[in-house]
Amino acid sequence: MASSLTEGSADSSTEKTFFGHPRGLATLFMTEMWERFSYYGMRALLVLYLVSGGTEAATGSQGGGLAFTMATATAIYSVYVAMVYLMAMPGGWFGDRVWGARKTVAIAGGVIMAGHISLAIPGQAMFFLGLILVAAGSGLLKANISTMVGHLYDGPDDPRRDGGFTIFYIGINLGAFVAPFVVGTVGEKVNWHFGFLLAAVGMGLGLVQFLLGTKHLDARSSLVPNPLSADERKNVIVKVVGVLVAAAVFYGAVAALGMYTLNWALVPITLAGLVIPVAVLVRIKRDKDLSGTEQSKMTAYIWFFVAAAVFWMIYDQGGSTLSLFADGKTADKVFGLGFPATWYQSLNPLFVMGLAPVFAWLWLWLARKNQEPNTIVKFAMGLVLVGASFFVFIVPMNMAGDGTKVSPMWLVSIYMIQTIGELCLSPVGLSVTTKMAPQKYASQMMGVWFLAVTAGDCTTGLLSIAGVDLNGTSVIAFEAAAAVLAGFAIYSYRKKVQSLMGTVH
């Protein structure tokens, strides 16, 4: 990245900058880019690897996978994605109270790399160990690397701050865009485990980049803002060890009785992913320290949280339901050129990079004309669009019912509609979370926002575990209708929600 570093000459300073921003942004940009490369590369392979070798695998599959059914593969995928976002909360806690952001990210990078290496070793045991490590490491990293980006600037009023986070967001999508072409192609067409190993190499490059560039980070990134006292540390260790021992005894007994199946692991995790978000919201809502205004804002926020959970429930099926449809029922050639199904996973980051500047300009243009939709309307638009994408999905599903391979443009259209919905809801959700957060929970509310993803994906996982065929037309239609109705419901109650939000617009 040396060519991207320019001399900061506006104030005659000789300190190098990264596109006019602190040089540490280059370190964090590259670290996040490689981490997302490893994450999205592995995610592009995940469901296809799980069904490969089974009766439901696509014709021409290389085999060598775990031969699970589509329902089981979808459940595993949904639980895995949910756990990545669920772990963001304890990840932030470790950064704030145990290791500090810089040390936490370094350890997280090593854990993620170890997880991908584990995935590269054949066998179910190593596969599930790898998923656990990648989910835990991603949660540790996700919550802390953004904090370090904020540390590079002089408070929230620094005029470069928003631009810095925009550049950082480009790194996320750049890594996500490239990964399916590299990791996905090698994994799907050459060897699954070589693909997982490439993901490990990507994370390794990111970790090396981070360790070499830490000298450019702000000193605050090394501090532990609220370190645990000796008594608190002891209590935490006792509780963690107690939970681990109880789990080991319970699952040991289940295995000894010959009763263990995969659902013994999936069901408790899925239920926890639904119960924990509800428990967190209830705890905050019932806190008597909150003022009346803060209580009102939290009531309004619950509307946004539920809406986001419905949105992510459908949106994240882009890596499961849509991926399986791409592999088995979509033509794999355009103008005579063949390509693997994993390439479809590059569409969303491509559309984000192309459309995000357009939406940023559009909202500003509408704001100048005093016509910009408010937060509630944008959320409703996001829900209606993600629902509409699944209504569109029903058409190629019916066309493929007789074994016909449908045009790739159907999936291109579906991913584009979902991305437009994402740009209406996701950035706005992040913004409204910071605006409506009670002062007491200001640093925790971003983790609460991520819990909406956990709740949505755990809903999908629980449906799959219960035997609901998420790859069936009727279920797709039901999900589409639920999202559209939720969007219209929020729009219909927009005045009530706005009154609860107070001065937040």
Side-chain angles (χ1 to χ4, degrees), residues 50 66 68-69 71-77 79 124 127-128 131 251 254 259-270 465:
L50 287 169
L66 297 183
F68 285 125
T69 64
T72 302
T74 301
I76 293 171
Y77 166 86
V79 169
Q124 277 197 38
F127 173 80
F128 286 109
L131 284 190
Y251 282 104
V254 171
M259 298 168 57
Y260 182 81
T261 65
L262 186 58
N263 282 351
W264 279 97
L266 292 178
V267 172
I269 295 173
T270 305
I465 293 167

Side-chain angles (χ1 to χ4, degrees), residues 432-455:
V432 80
T433 297
T434 60
K435 292 176 181 177
M436 295 174 66
Q439 186 62 37
K440 182 177 179 179
Y441 296 100
S443 62
Q444 298 180 38
M445 284 298 289
M446 200 56 68
V448 174
W449 169 252
F450 288 137
L451 288 180
V453 185
T454 298

Side-chain angles (χ1 to χ4, degrees), residues 59 64 122 138 155 165 169 272 282 292 295 307 329 331 354 358 362 365 387 441 451:
T59 303
S138 297
F165 273 98
Y169 193 64
V282 169
Q295 287 281 2
K329 299 181 179 180
V358 175
L362 177 64
W365 180 72
Y441 296 100
L451 288 180

Side-chain angles (χ1 to χ4, degrees), residues 88-178:
M89 285 200 76
W93 181 87
F94 267 95
D96 286 342
R97 308 215 63 189
V98 183
W99 292 325
R102 188 181 303 190
K103 185 176 180 180
T104 303
V105 167
I107 292 172
V111 172
I112 294 169
M113 186 169 65
H116 288 301
I117 291 172
S118 181
L119 290 169
I121 301 172
Q124 277 197 38
M126 297 305 294
F127 173 80
F128 286 109
L129 174 62
L131 284 190
I132 292 169
L133 291 173
V134 174
S138 297
L140 286 169
L141 187 142
K142 180 181 290 292
N144 290 283
I145 195 165
S146 296
T147 299
M148 288 195 291
V149 174
H151 287 163
L152 297 172
Y153 301 96
D154 298 325
D157 295 327
D158 190 321
R160 302 173 299 169
R161 187 182 180 92
D162 286 351
F165 273 98
T166 300
I167 293 173
F168 180 71
Y169 193 64
I170 291 172
I172 294 173
N173 285 283
L174 187 60
F177 171 70
V178 174

Side-chain angles (χ1 to χ4, degrees), residues 277-483:
V278 173
V280 170
L281 286 172
V282 169
R283 179 174 63 86
I284 296 174
K285 186 71 178 67
R286 297 179 65 180
D287 191 333
K288 295 180 179 179
D289 290 341
L290 302 187
S291 66
T293 300
E294 289 177 325
Q295 287 281 2
S296 178
K297 288 180 180 179
M298 279 305 302
T299 300
Y301 186 75
I302 291 172
W303 281 78
F304 293 113
F305 184 93
V306 173
V310 173
F311 178 88
W312 296 117
M313 178 184 71
I314 294 177
Y315 181 89
D316 276 344
Q317 289 184 59
S320 56
T321 305
L322 289 178
S323 183
L324 290 169
F325 186 85
D327 186 45
K329 299 181 179 180
T330 305
D332 59 358
K333 289 184 179 180
V334 174
F335 302 120
L337 299 175
F339 60 94
T342 49
W343 284 19
Y344 286 103
Q345 300 303 306
S346 289
L347 289 172
N348 170 253
L350 174 65
F351 290 145
V352 168
M353 289 188 290
L355 295 175
V358 175
F359 271 75
W361 170 84
L362 177 64
W363 299 141
L364 287 174
W365 180 72
L366 289 173
R368 286 195 294 268
K369 297 168 67 71
N370 200 31
Q371 294 178 350
E372 182 186 6
N374 64 23
T375 299
I376 305 165
V377 175
K378 289 177 182 176
F379 257 72
M381 291 167 60
L383 281 168
V384 170
L385 283 166
V386 81
S389 75
F390 263 28
F391 276 128
V392 172
F393 187 27
I394 292 171
V395 178
M397 290 183 78
N398 286 327
M399 292 170 62
D402 60 358
T404 302
K405 295 272 188 173
V406 304
S407 167
M409 292 310 297
W410 283 107
L411 286 181
V412 172
S413 301
I414 292 165
Y415 280 114
M416 175 175 279
I417 295 169
Q418 291 187 350
T419 302
I420 295 172
E422 177 192 6
L423 291 171
C424 289
L425 183 141
S426 186
V428 176
L430 291 169
S431 177
V432 80
T433 297
T434 60
K435 292 176 181 177
M436 295 174 66
Q439 186 62 37
K440 182 177 179 179
Y441 296 100
S443 62
Q444 298 180 38
M445 284 298 289
M446 200 56 68
V448 174
W449 169 252
F450 288 137
L451 288 180
V453 185
T454 298
D457 283 308
C458 281
T459 301
T460 305
L462 196 61
L463 289 171
S464 296
I465 293 167
V468 176
D469 181 12
L470 292 174
N471 301 285
T473 305
S474 59
V475 176
I476 294 298
F478 175 79
E479 292 181 274

Side-chain angles (χ1 to χ4, degrees), residues 42 45 49 116 119-120 127 183 192-200:
M42 184 276 280
L45 294 176
Y49 171 69
H116 288 301
L119 290 169
F127 173 80
V183 178
W192 300 113
H193 301 289
F194 287 171
F196 293 136
L197 189 60
L198 274 178

Side-chain angles (χ1 to χ4, degrees), residues 97 226-238:
R97 308 215 63 189
N226 183 24
L228 291 171
S229 66
D231 287 341
E232 287 176 321
R233 186 180 295 270
K234 181 180 178 180
N235 287 335
V236 169
I237 292 173
V238 168

